[in-house]
Amino acid sequence: MSVVTRIARSRAAQESLGFLGASYLKLVRRTNRFSLDPPDAYDWLTPMRPFIAAMWHGQHLMVPFVRRPQDRVATMVSRSVDGGVNTAVLERFGVRVMRGSGARRASDVWAKGGVQALRGCLKALEDGESVAFSADVPKVSRRCGEGIVMLARMSGRPVVPTAVVTSRYLQFDSWDRASLGLPFGRGVMAFGEPISVPRDLDAAGIEAARLRIETDLNAVHARAFAQVGRIDPIHSRKGHTREGTSAR
């Protein structure tokens, strides 16, 4: 293991980067004029708690903005070095973190802590915490996996497609097509209709639920970006890290 890798994996380094990341995101939150879509979202989300806030991995950095001080929220973060930094950021936003992630191969799920983290998500929902959950298949952007379907099916809690976007952003050439908001613009915190997943679904029903979550997540992102005069960065030109300027 190289010296750089050892430093990156150290608690002190991850906490320092987490502090910087959280400070930047708080600046983004303060300097953008955010609105809710729909405007009465919290009126119907509050009595629905706890629920599963579905998000695309590439848009996860600003989802903590939707949490109010009174909201209890937990999430699952990978055991990677990046996950350590993300954990430090999220904890500064009052989000409780469980370490673990899904895997494309079933043989890797235990090693990555996915089973333990899924159990943790179920326990969080049982205890009244809402859960923010990345819906993507690991390393496959914008394809919903069955993990979030299973969580909703086993917990009996609704899935709420969620998007937080800003009019000014950086788009990255990463597997998840991540984007990061910039200060001094407009923002939208958007929510889709809740999706219930019955426990007695057969294989066809599970696939239908997976497709609906995928479709509704794309739709809520498209709607949110349209409100700030942009297009969803999935449609932007690949291969660059730049300020989002796709919409005209």
Side-chain angles (χ1 to χ4, degrees):
M1 186 185 300
S2 69
V3 174
V4 173
T5 301
R6 285 200 299 269
I7 292 173
R9 290 185 175 179
S10 71
R11 176 82 179 195
Q14 292 179 1
E15 286 292 333
S16 296
L17 291 171
F19 171 78
L20 293 173
S23 298
Y24 174 76
L25 288 173
K26 289 175 181 179
L27 174 67
V28 172
R29 178 69 180 89
R30 288 196 303 269
T31 59
N32 279 277
R33 301 184 306 277
F34 274 94
S35 60
L36 283 177
D37 178 24
D40 64 345
Y42 286 129
D43 292 341
W44 52 267
L45 284 172
T46 297
M48 192 187 303
R49 295 179 300 180
F51 57 87
I52 302 164
M55 57 187 173
W56 286 136
H57 193 280
Q59 307 297 316
H60 67 284
L61 293 171
M62 295 186 297
V63 167
F65 292 176
V66 307
R67 178 189 172 274
R68 300 169 300 174
Q70 66 268 36
D71 295 332
R72 297 172 57 222
V73 180
T75 194
M76 184 168 70
V77 173
S78 75
R79 293 176 174 177
S80 66
V81 173
D82 287 348
V85 176
N86 286 336
T87 295
V89 171
L90 290 166
E91 288 177 344
R92 284 177 168 81
F93 277 93
V95 177
R96 188 172 69 83
V97 175
M98 296 164 284
R99 300 301 297 273
S101 63
R104 296 180 67 181
R105 295 185 302 179
S107 59
D108 292 336
V109 172
W110 277 103
K112 290 179 176 290
V115 173
Q116 300 94 312
L118 182 60
R119 288 173 177 168
C121 289
L122 286 168
K123 182 64 165 57
L125 291 164
E126 289 174 3
D127 291 344
E129 288 181 288
S130 292
V131 170
F133 200 96
S134 293
D136 313 65
V137 173
K139 302 301 181 182
V140 182
S141 175
R142 298 300 182 92
R143 177 172 172 79
C144 182
E146 289 189 4
I148 193 168
V149 179
M150 293 300 100
L151 179 60
R153 183 187 185 194
M154 295 168 68
S155 68
R157 306 311 304 165
V159 175
V160 178
T162 306
V164 180
V165 308
T166 52
S167 57
R168 303 179 65 245
Y169 59 88
L170 295 177
Q171 182 192 335
F172 298 95
D173 184 23
S174 55
W175 75 264
D176 57 2
R177 301 173 186 178
S179 62
L180 176 64
L182 294 172
F184 310 114
R186 291 174 294 137
V188 172
M189 297 184 286
F191 304 91
E193 292 292 325
I195 301 168
S196 296
V197 180
R199 185 177 288 270
D200 60 351
L201 286 184
D202 58 12
I206 291 172
E207 175 62 9
R210 187 194 70 77
L211 285 173
R212 183 181 172 190
I213 293 170
E214 183 175 294
T215 299
D216 286 12
L217 261 176
N218 283 330
V220 77
H221 279 81
R223 193 177 84 220
F225 273 107
Q227 290 196 36
V228 295
R230 301 294 187 189
I231 64 171
D232 190 326
I234 193 173
H235 301 299
S236 299
R237 183 164 57 94
K238 296 181 182 179
H240 294 274
T241 302
R242 60 189 177 87
E243 180 179 341
T245 56
S246 301
R248 294 290 185 266

